[in-house]
Amino acid sequence: MAVVLAAGYSRRFGAADKRIARLPDGRRLLADTVTRAQEAFPLLRVVLREEDDPAALGLPRETPLLRAPRAERGLGASLADAIAAIAGDDALADTGAAAILLGDMPDIAVTPLATLSSQADRSRILRPSYAGHPGHPVFFGRDFWPELAALNGDDGARDVIRRHRDRYREIAVEDPGVCRDIDTPAELARGATLLIRNGRGTKAPAS
């Protein structure tokens, strides 16, 4: 399954909500990322703040959501809230691993997501790499979920990976999108150029 983290405040992006920034094909950043993730994963949850309106973020009404009550504390806290929720969901009891995606990475192709998903299991941590650089998403087997659920603050899961280097593996992929997130308006503009080159078009934004 996939967990799309989208509860952050993206302060480097400025006053605007990065999640609804427009891509050259007219889609909003978060909605586009979620759509691509849904193509690769039969199960998915999108993590939002408690006060977020998914419709205002461009998400379809049927999008499966998780709320992060501690989102203001940082990425680690949001991830912990999400993992605790899916670990306690009886409907997901047979889920062996979760791919942790960032909501600001619309350039990831479906193929590497499917490739890593087919190799994930409950006892390993898998991560794509491009040209020697580690990327996203990171697949955490269920064995590591208790440690993820204990995270707090903004540190993310780096320490979990460090503690389990013997069960961590990077898989080389031919997709630079696994290393490209969008933190600033300038990065969004650069990403738009790359999307056009990759044939995703320049349809006028919807109103």
Side-chain angles (χ1 to χ4, degrees):
M1 75 170 297
V3 176
V4 181
L5 297 178
Y9 290 86
S10 306
R11 293 181 175 89
R12 289 177 59 191
F13 200 80
D17 191 329
K18 178 175 68 175
R19 299 172 294 179
I20 58 174
R22 294 286 188 179
L23 297 169
D25 60 7
R27 295 187 184 189
R28 297 184 187 275
L29 175 58
L30 175 58
D32 190 67
T33 301
V34 171
T35 296
R36 287 179 160 259
Q38 287 176 320
E39 294 177 24
F41 298 98
L43 292 173
L44 177 141
R45 299 289 186 273
V46 180
V47 184
L48 300 179
R49 305 170 205 154
E50 287 190 306
E51 70 274 15
D52 280 331
D53 176 1
L57 297 175
L59 297 175
R61 182 174 56 185
E62 64 273 15
T63 302
L65 304 176
L66 293 174
R67 300 290 180 169
R70 300 180 301 146
E72 75 283 351
R73 297 188 184 181
L75 178 67
S78 294
L79 175 56
D81 289 342
I83 293 296
I86 65 173
D89 187 338
D90 290 341
L92 300 175
D94 294 331
T95 301
I100 310 302
L101 291 96
L102 306 180
D104 59 358
M105 298 186 71
D107 295 349
I108 299 177
V110 173
T111 298
L113 295 178
T115 297
L116 270 75
S117 184
S118 69
Q119 299 183 43
D121 62 40
R122 65 182 303 132
S123 64
R124 293 197 292 177
I125 303 172
L126 300 181
R127 187 172 196 173
S129 66
Y130 175 76
H133 300 288
H136 285 86
V138 183
F139 288 72
F140 286 94
R142 197 178 190 106
D143 289 354
F144 309 99
W145 290 9
E147 291 179 63
L148 296 178
L151 294 174
N152 200 358
D154 200 35
D155 290 338
R158 292 186 185 92
D159 286 344
V160 177
I161 293 174
R162 291 191 190 103
R163 286 194 295 269
H164 300 284
R165 297 296 301 188
D166 58 326
R167 297 164 75 182
Y168 170 79
R169 179 185 172 198
E170 290 184 7
I171 298 176
V173 300
E174 296 300 320
D175 177 23
V178 301
C179 294
R180 187 181 302 126
D181 62 345
I182 294 172
D183 290 324
T184 67
E187 289 174 349
L188 179 64
R190 286 196 297 272
T193 300
L194 290 164
L195 290 172
I196 294 168
R197 289 175 182 170
N198 289 334
R200 294 187 61 189
T202 55
K203 185 180 73 175
S207 60

